[in-house]
């Protein structure tokens, strides 16, 4: 794949903040673009994301010229070149967002040049087989229907209240998710007024609640009313690193109550990003029936994953490409998780773009789940619609 040019421009993300879009053109005329999301709740160990103006400059003045007329055997060769060009472990020279934009654009151009779906090229690069999916032929949808923490201006300490449909197809999962989302909106408006339907960063409702448990109480009632109790599981992203005055004993007591009362099957970042031992204690006690997932704890970083595995901290991992900065390194993280027997949950970011790459990535690597926000707002809907397209057409 010989590259003719790589250029970049600033675009707006879903929070109205500047991010970057890169466009790559191959010598054979194939052209592809990729844009990079941004997180608000970020782990301290994430690769360095530079301001959009610096990223655009680095792509147009450094990366683009260095790639011009170069030919790469595969994705790994390109990503190795980009990382060597940066020369730092954290990608602080060029920016992880600059490297990821180039990396994903090249991958997408390669898929177009080969005339194969993007997810199929990802699967080929990852070595994942269809049998790795287990019982389902698709990732389960982790739908954030109530926003709190840094993603909203309400009084909830916890960041994401999730519904996780239990369905055989993506289409049915989306239908269940939409029904629950609409039903929740109606229930909140009736109980708290029309303003309760205002949205947070990821499209979930963001009113004030009586306490951190009330959202699940309402969700359970909605599921019962819609006769969907057997069609949905519940989960949450506590994002505990960002909870002020977080106390591990108090948090643990809350999680035990949530598991007992509402049957949670998934808890993400239940403790601070350096509290490997508290993660391990929770995992030891509940890990057989609850996915204890690390996001800020590991930041899609194999070194951090190795430590979490050694200490028995988790049984699931969040995978976010922009945390590590290239397609190849993201695939390395997925393979590491599979080696450890962990569930793989691919995730969007709170500051998203209309790029649907994570949908292809999750499907391609046989992820156990995909966090994609609520079924609202264009940047989230793009991921839903891409999954539906993959399921319907395989393209």
């Amino acid at each position: 794949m010989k590259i003719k040019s790589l250029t970049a421009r600033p675009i707006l993300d879903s929070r109205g903040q500047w991010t970057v879009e890169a466009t790559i053109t191959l010598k054979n005329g194939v052209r592809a673009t990729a844009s990079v999301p941004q997180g608000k709740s970020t782990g301290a160990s994430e690769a360095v994301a530079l301001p959009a103006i610096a990223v655009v400059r680095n792509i147009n003045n450094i990366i683009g010229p260095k790639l011009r007329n170069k030919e790469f055997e595969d994705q790994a060769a390109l990503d190795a070149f980009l990382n060597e060009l940066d020369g730092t472990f954290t990608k602080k020279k060029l920016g992880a967002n600059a490297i990821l934009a180039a990396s994903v654009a090249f991958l997408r151009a390669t898929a177009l040049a080969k005339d194969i779906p993007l997810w199929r090229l990802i699967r080929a690069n990852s070595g994942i087989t269809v049998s790795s999916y287990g019982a389902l032929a698709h990732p389960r949808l982790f739908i954030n229907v109530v926003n709190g923490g840094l993603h909203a201006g309400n009084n909830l300490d916890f960041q994401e209240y999730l519904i996780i449909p239990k369905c055989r197809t993506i289409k049915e999962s989306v239908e269940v998710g939409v029904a629950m989302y609409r039903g929740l909106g109606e229930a909140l408006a009736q109980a708290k007024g029309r303003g309760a339907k205002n949205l947070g960063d990821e499209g979930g409702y963001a009113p004030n609640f009586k306490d951190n448990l009330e959202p699940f109480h309402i969700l359970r009632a909605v599921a019962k009313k819609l006769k969907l109790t057997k069609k949905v599981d519940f989960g949450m992203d506590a994002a505990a690193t960002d909870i002020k005055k977080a106390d591990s004993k108090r948090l643990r007591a809350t999680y035990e109550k949530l598991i007992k009362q509402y049957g949670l099957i998934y808890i993400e970042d239940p403790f601070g990003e350096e509290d490997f031992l508290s993660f391990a204690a929770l995992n030891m006690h509940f890990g057989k029936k609850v996915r204890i997932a690390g996001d800020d704890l590991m930041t899609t970083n194999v070194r951090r994953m190795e430590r979490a595995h050694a200490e028995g901290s988790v049984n699931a991992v969040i995978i976010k490409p922009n945390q590590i900065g290239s397609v190849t390194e993201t695939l390395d993280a997925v393979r590491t998780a599979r080696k450890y027997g962990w569930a793989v949950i691919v995730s969007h970011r709170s500051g998203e773009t209309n790029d649907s790459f994570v949908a292809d990535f999750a499907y391609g690597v046989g992820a156990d789940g995909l966090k994609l926000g609520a079924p609202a707002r264009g940047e989230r809907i793009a991921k839903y619609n891409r999954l539906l397209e993959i399921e319907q057409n395989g393209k």
Side-chain angles (χ1 to χ4, degrees):
M1 297 294 166
K2 183 173 285 190
I3 296 172
K4 179 180 180 181
S5 66
L6 176 73
T7 59
R9 68 185 183 103
I11 64 169
L12 294 173
D13 71 9
S14 59
R15 286 197 295 262
Q17 297 178 349
W18 292 107
T19 186
V20 63
E21 179 185 80
T23 299
I24 195 168
T25 304
L26 303 181
K27 282 287 188 179
N28 60 11
V30 169
R31 188 170 180 266
T33 63
S35 55
V36 179
Q38 306 175 110
K40 180 182 288 185
S41 174
T42 57
S45 300
E46 291 191 25
V48 175
L50 296 179
I53 189 171
V55 172
V56 171
R57 183 173 60 246
N58 287 344
I59 290 177
N60 288 335
N61 298 340
I62 300 175
I63 300 176
K66 289 289 186 180
L67 290 179
R68 191 175 298 131
N69 294 322
K70 282 196 173 295
E71 189 169 5
F72 295 93
E73 181 180 353
D74 54 24
Q75 185 70 37
L78 171 91
D79 290 340
F81 179 87
L82 293 172
N83 285 331
E84 185 177 350
L85 185 62
D86 178 271
T88 69
F89 178 73
T90 60
K91 301 178 176 64
K92 64 182 180 181
K93 179 182 176 183
L94 298 176
N97 36 354
I99 292 173
L100 184 64
S103 180
V104 174
F106 180 80
L107 183 72
R108 188 169 271 139
T110 302
L112 290 171
K114 293 178 178 289
D115 193 26
I116 60 175
L118 180 58
W119 67 265
R120 194 176 294 279
L121 178 60
I122 292 168
R123 181 170 296 177
N125 286 348
S126 69
I128 296 291
T129 59
V130 174
S131 61
S132 298
Y133 281 111
L136 294 177
H138 61 84
R140 292 186 72 178
L141 306 187
F142 285 56
I143 302 173
N144 182 6
V145 292
V146 173
N147 294 181
L150 294 184
H151 290 176
N154 58 15
N155 63 343
L156 291 175
D157 292 316
F158 300 137
Q159 189 162 276
E160 301 177 8
Y161 292 74
L162 306 164
I163 60 169
I164 310 168
K166 294 187 290 186
C167 304
R168 300 294 297 181
T169 68
I170 292 172
K171 185 175 185 292
E172 186 184 3
S173 296
V174 173
E175 290 171 346
V176 168
V178 169
M180 283 291 298
Y181 182 69
R182 290 177 177 173
L184 175 61
E186 293 171 1
L188 289 174
Q190 184 175 2
K192 300 176 182 292
R194 293 177 60 188
K197 296 180 72 173
N198 291 338
L199 306 183
D201 282 353
E202 296 184 354
Y205 301 114
N208 286 326
F209 288 88
K210 296 176 183 177
D211 54 36
N212 289 317
L213 276 65
E214 189 188 12
F216 286 119
H217 179 78
I218 298 175
L219 279 169
R220 184 171 63 183
V222 170
K224 184 177 180 180
K225 179 180 178 180
L226 297 176
K227 298 181 180 180
L228 292 174
T229 301
K230 295 182 179 180
K231 288 285 188 178
V232 293
D233 288 318
F234 297 141
M236 70 180 301
D237 175 7
T241 298
D242 298 312
I243 299 176
K244 295 180 179 179
K245 298 180 181 179
D247 176 83
S248 59
K249 292 183 179 179
R250 189 177 302 170
L251 288 171
R252 163 109 183 221
T254 300
Y255 303 141
E256 290 183 0
K257 184 180 295 186
L258 286 168
I259 293 168
K260 181 179 180 180
Q261 292 187 7
Y262 302 106
L264 266 65
I265 67 160
Y266 175 85
I267 301 177
E268 178 185 334
D269 277 355
F271 305 103
E273 61 189 342
E274 296 299 333
D275 197 353
F276 287 82
L277 294 181
S278 291
F279 269 84
L282 191 68
N283 188 35
M284 182 178 295
H285 192 75
F286 292 106
K288 289 185 178 180
K289 61 179 181 179
V290 180
R291 291 294 188 186
I292 308 300
D295 177 18
D296 293 345
L297 187 78
M298 294 178 286
T299 62
T300 317
N301 185 312
V302 170
R303 293 186 184 182
R304 302 273 300 183
M305 292 171 69
E306 289 170 350
R307 180 180 173 187
H309 177 256
E311 301 202 23
S313 300
V314 301
N315 58 16
V317 62
I318 293 296
I319 298 292
K320 296 176 176 176
N322 81 315
Q323 286 182 327
I324 195 65
S326 74
V327 171
T328 299
E329 289 164 295
T330 309
L331 289 173
D332 287 342
V334 172
R335 285 189 284 264
T336 299
R338 290 305 188 199
K339 181 176 67 175
Y340 295 155
W342 293 350
V344 171
I345 316 295
V346 176
S347 178
H348 63 163
R349 298 308 297 258
S350 56
E352 262 295 340
T353 73
N354 290 334
D355 195 315
S356 59
F357 174 72
V358 291
D360 279 87
F361 190 88
Y363 197 91
V365 302
D368 299 277
L370 171 62
K371 292 179 65 179
L372 67 177
R377 302 173 46 145
E379 77 282 356
R380 314 295 157 179
I381 293 300
K383 283 69 169 172
Y384 283 87
N385 286 338
R386 177 57 185 149
L387 282 176
L388 290 167
E389 181 183 25
I390 291 172
E391 181 174 72
Q392 181 175 349
N393 304 318
K395 295 181 180 179

